[in-house]
Amino acid sequence: MNIDFSFQNPTRIHFGRTAMQHLPEELANFGSNVLLMYGKQSIKKSGLYDEVMNLLHQAGKRVCELPGIKSNPAYRQVLQGAQLVREHNVDLILAVGGGSVIDCAKAISVSAYCEGDPWQRYWINGEKVSNPVVPVASILTMTGTASEMNAGSVITNEELKVKQGRVFPLELVAPKFSILNPEFTYTVPKYQMVSGIFDIFSHLMEQYFSGEDDCVSDYLLEGDMLALISAARAALKNPQDYEARSNIMWCATMALNKILALSKTQDWEVHQIEHQLGAYTDCAHGIGLAIVSVPYYRHIYRYGLHRFVRFAKNIWHVPTQGRSDEQVALEGIACLSSFIAELGIPQTLREVGATEEMLPLIAESCNKCGGYHVPDTAEVLEILKACY
Amino acid sequence: MNIDFSFQNPTRIHFGRTAMQHLPEELANFGSNVLLMYGKQSIKKSGLYDEVMNLLHQAGKRVCELPGIKSNPAYRQVLQGAQLVREHNVDLILAVGGGSVIDCAKAISVSAYCEGDPWQRYWINGEKVSNPVVPVASILTMTGTASEMNAGSVITNEELKVKQGRVFPLELVAPKFSILNPEFTYTVPKYQMVSGIFDIFSHLMEQYFSGEDDCVSDYLLEGDMLALISAARAALKNPQDYEARSNIMWCATMALNKILALSKTQDWEVHQIEHQLGAYTDCAHGIGLAIVSVPYYRHIYRYGLHRFVRFAKNIWHVPTQGRSDEQVALEGIACLSSFIAELGIPQTLREVGATEEMLPLIAESCNKCGGYHVPDTAEVLEILKACY
């Protein structure tokens, strides 16, 4: 744990089949005006909308609504929500949905009372938030982003074709409480489920593939990866397997609530590339990550060979006897590729609607960072071509 | 994650060589009157006492002191501290030391304004705390108990010869902030260092050896065990190895800040036996745990065979080919025993001052719980005799 850190995560988690029972006691901590946000119609079909609305009314809340949050939440929706918050003097923003809805709720929470253009100030300039922030809470229906227990907010500016993430301080923006009932995820279509699973796996790899020291966080990241692989396989066999779905849900939260990232430098370049892929194609986030990951790691493994050998041994149980480190590392990446295939995820960009013309635009526009190596535009283009 | 849970951990951690720089900003959140608690003279020798006292005075605090907290903190010291809190109208109890000092600080925090006898109400009856609680914070100098990020408080009633733990709600009693500088642990004598290391390992095993499901927490517990074994070996070679000592410190905090225990039934019988061993012999906590663990697990493994096989494979890499589950499980426990020997920890109760007459008294007086099996008094006596 060579890198100093300060850490506190303020989110209270209620997890399990009975989690919703805690909503009334949590609502009692906030004022009367609630902005209820959600995505498409699925929470109306499942009955969750009615259940939440009843509990809100029983708690004496006045509710305004912002439905239709997109899976890549749009900046124009943030501005809509910010206006609702001001008009209705909102005391609590309650996001019911997956990471997109919660990310959008956080964006609204910091934008509502921001002077000037929040996009420019908070997502582009990365300015410190000094205006009042409206509390956010969440009821999770789709797992993957860990937005339920962190302060990240990824927003797409459709006009500018830029998808940009910002990590705010946890104490300001992380949900005050989050309700996680794994049964709510049963109705998520398989494509979205595996997208979420790979999003989680990618979060773990982005944190893992960096650093030279023998860091506790790396062992914990490995533990979460192994738990996720096991749960994913069980959920593929039976999507109604509570144990599997609950494990996936908790793997997701732990993967990005920051506690496994402590004292770690990190990578996050796969996410940067995918953000621009998403801005151009609107493809599901986890699917885009899966497609880009294999050629990305094949490109950078030689810069952090020891870590890719460790990944192969500890995660995929690749035998090492009589093999070079290079061979072991590459077999580890091949195992990752097989796992993606096992999840039934497409392996090429053209399958998610990318065109050849988009590739240089994505390569040019994505942020460049990295763990063991920071690729330049030409390298990103090469990576994109390798999975086109 | 089959068992529902609610979770929030309020402690803010400042970790690393520069952690102390955060003390002034933290002190600013509390009133003027501080009770400073510590153990023996070591923080005066190391200069830490002067450093903390200077920062307290610079922050304009009025300081009263409670030195001499014992390694098994005594209930009479809790009452002394409670009186100081009332007399000086204390706003913050600052514990500088290891788990004993912090446990004692928490006990004082709930006892100061308790009507009636706190020992009876909170440690024996387990009553809910409804009186005002004084905030606690810590500066950690010895690692093991995770008291710096949890709400446990183990107190010894010397008069009654009972050592009793109580886990209070995190939001009430967990330190508001804790400062963890691994360098502060360099001066801990080797015997105390290995005692702390085994205490951590025992916390992980107490949580791990229970349950039948494929639970994320188990994978994370395994990760923390593997990190600890690696760091312990490095610290034995070179106690001034910052990487090793910082890993041990963070393994300890993670091992018992509750986040790896979520959705787990747990065991904790080894701790129950050791508490009574400690009440009779005053032996170092981790040393007592190590002595009792091996015969305890040899006694109970057959009730949770699958988990002991998993422990052998995932933690000690015991080969399984051509062996029965029974053989694999027992070899895992043998590896645990070798690890204890590697740490240089005594293997018998008589080496820590127990007499044969004490054994039935310890067996009789210890609480009986368990993960895969709850032993009765006769079984505990058998376990004690096996390591006498």
Side-chain angles (χ1 to χ4, degrees), chain B residues 112-145:
Chain B
Y113 300 108
C114 170
E115 284 179 29
D117 181 26
W119 175 261
Q120 187 62 40
R121 291 189 58 186
Y122 295 148
W123 280 265
I124 302 303
N125 302 352
E127 285 180 39
K128 195 179 157 183
V129 178
S130 53
N131 54 262
V133 173
V134 185
V136 169
S138 82
I139 299 172
L140 196 65
T141 63
M142 200 186 305
T143 189
T145 70

Side-chain angles (χ1 to χ4, degrees), chain A residues 1-19 22 25 149 171 176 182 212-217 219-224 226-227 230-231 242-243 246-248 250-251 254 257 259-260 262-263, chain B residues 1-19 22 25 149 171 176 182 212-217 219-224 226-227 230-231 242-243 246-248 250-251 254 257 259-260 262-263:
Chain A
M1 306 294 284
N2 269 327
I3 302 172
D4 294 2
F5 63 84
S6 291
F7 174 74
Q8 183 201 30
N9 189 317
T11 303
R12 188 180 297 112
I13 295 288
H14 300 290
F15 189 100
R17 297 177 179 90
T18 62
H22 297 278
E25 84 208 27
M149 201 181 181
E171 64 274 20
K176 301 306 174 199
E212 304 294 331
D213 61 326
D214 187 41
C215 178
V216 177
S217 295
Y219 290 86
L220 298 172
L221 290 164
E222 287 172 342
D224 212 41
L226 292 168
S230 170
Y242 182 83
E243 194 168 295
S246 65
N247 281 341
I248 291 170
W250 192 240
C251 278
M254 286 299 287
N257 65 5
I259 204 160
L260 305 190
L262 297 174
S263 207
Chain B
M1 306 295 285
N2 268 326
I3 301 172
D4 294 3
F5 62 85
S6 291
F7 174 75
Q8 183 202 31
N9 189 316
T11 304
R12 188 179 298 115
I13 295 288
H14 301 289
F15 189 100
R17 296 176 180 92
T18 61
H22 297 277
E25 83 208 27
M149 202 181 181
E171 63 274 20
K176 301 305 175 200
E212 304 294 332
D213 62 324
D214 187 41
C215 177
V216 177
S217 295
Y219 291 86
L220 298 173
L221 289 164
E222 288 173 342
D224 212 41
L226 292 168
S230 170
Y242 182 85
E243 194 168 293
S246 65
N247 281 342
I248 291 170
W250 191 240
C251 278
M254 286 299 287
N257 64 5
I259 203 159
L260 305 190
L262 297 173
S263 207

Side-chain angles (χ1 to χ4, degrees), chain B residues 294-329:
Chain B
V294 173
Y296 177 74
Y297 293 125
R298 282 201 180 119
H299 183 81
I300 61 130
Y301 79 93
R302 59 178 68 83
Y303 301 98
L305 187 59
H306 60 97
R307 180 55 53 95
F308 282 87
V309 169
R310 180 173 164 168
F311 177 68
K313 284 161 62 180
N314 293 358
I315 305 304
W316 305 109
H317 312 297
V318 171
T320 55
Q321 222 180 2
R323 289 171 181 208
S324 69
D325 281 357
E326 178 107 3
Q327 288 171 317
V328 172

Side-chain angles (χ1 to χ4, degrees), chain A residues 115-374:
Chain A
E115 285 179 28
D117 179 28
W119 174 261
Q120 187 63 40
R121 291 189 59 185
Y122 295 148
W123 279 265
I124 303 303
N125 301 352
E127 285 180 39
K128 195 178 158 184
V129 178
S130 53
N131 54 264
V133 173
V134 185
V136 169
S138 82
I139 298 172
L140 197 64
T141 63
M142 200 187 305
T143 189
T145 70
S147 192
E148 66 275 13
M149 201 181 181
N150 69 32
S153 174
V154 181
I155 299 298
T156 298
N157 192 317
E158 293 175 327
E159 221 173 294
L160 305 175
K161 276 210 183 305
V162 176
K163 183 173 169 182
Q164 177 74 39
R166 166 78 194 267
V167 179
F168 294 99
L170 282 163
E171 64 274 20
L172 272 189
V173 174
K176 301 306 174 199
F177 66 88
S178 286
I179 289 175
L180 279 63
N181 181 343
E183 291 176 335
F184 294 166
T185 67
Y186 285 172
T187 53
V188 173
K190 191 190 160 199
Y191 191 77
Q192 293 300 331
M193 178 183 89
V194 298
S195 171
I197 289 169
F198 199 83
D199 190 19
I200 307 164
F201 206 78
S202 179
H203 294 158
L204 294 164
M205 291 193 294
E206 297 274 27
Q207 294 166 91
Y208 182 73
F209 286 121
S210 187
E212 304 294 331
D213 61 326
D214 187 41
C215 178
V216 177
S217 295
D218 289 317
Y219 290 86
L220 298 172
L221 290 164
E222 287 172 342
D224 212 41
M225 285 187 213
L226 292 168
L228 180 62
I229 293 167
S230 170
R233 286 176 174 155
L236 282 175
K237 269 192 214 143
N238 174 14
Q240 308 274 313
D241 177 341
Y242 182 83
E243 194 168 295
R245 296 305 284 265
S246 65
N247 281 341
I248 291 170
M249 195 173 227
W250 192 240
C251 278
T253 307
M254 286 299 287
L256 206 54
N257 65 5
K258 298 290 173 182
I259 204 160
L260 305 190
L262 297 174
S263 207
K264 287 283 302 174
T265 57
Q266 300 168 44
D267 185 327
W268 294 104
E269 181 58 22
V270 172
H271 269 68
Q272 298 305 323
I273 299 172
E274 195 292 320
H275 283 178
Q276 283 316 92
L277 176 63
Y280 278 88
T281 67
D282 210 23
C283 78
H285 177 56
I287 304 297
L289 293 170
I291 297 170
V292 171
S293 286
V294 173
Y296 177 75
Y297 293 125
R298 282 200 180 120
H299 184 81
I300 61 132
Y301 79 93
R302 59 178 67 85
Y303 301 99
L305 187 60
H306 60 97
R307 179 55 52 93
F308 283 86
V309 169
R310 179 173 164 169
F311 177 68
K313 285 161 62 181
N314 293 358
I315 304 305
W316 305 109
H317 312 297
V318 171
T320 55
Q321 224 180 358
R323 290 172 182 207
S324 69
D325 281 358
E326 178 107 2
Q327 287 170 318
V328 172
L330 283 171
E331 190 166 330
I333 299 170
C335 290
L336 172 66
S337 180
S338 303
F339 180 59
I340 292 169
E342 202 181 328
L343 292 172
I345 292 178
Q347 315 242 347
T348 65
L349 294 174
R350 72 183 80 194
E351 288 169 85
V352 294
T355 63
E356 205 162 351
E357 294 70 41
M358 286 178 188
L359 305 189
L361 300 171
I362 294 168
E364 184 65 48
S365 62
C366 74
N367 295 325
K368 309 299 185 297
C369 50
Y372 291 113
H373 174 69
V374 180

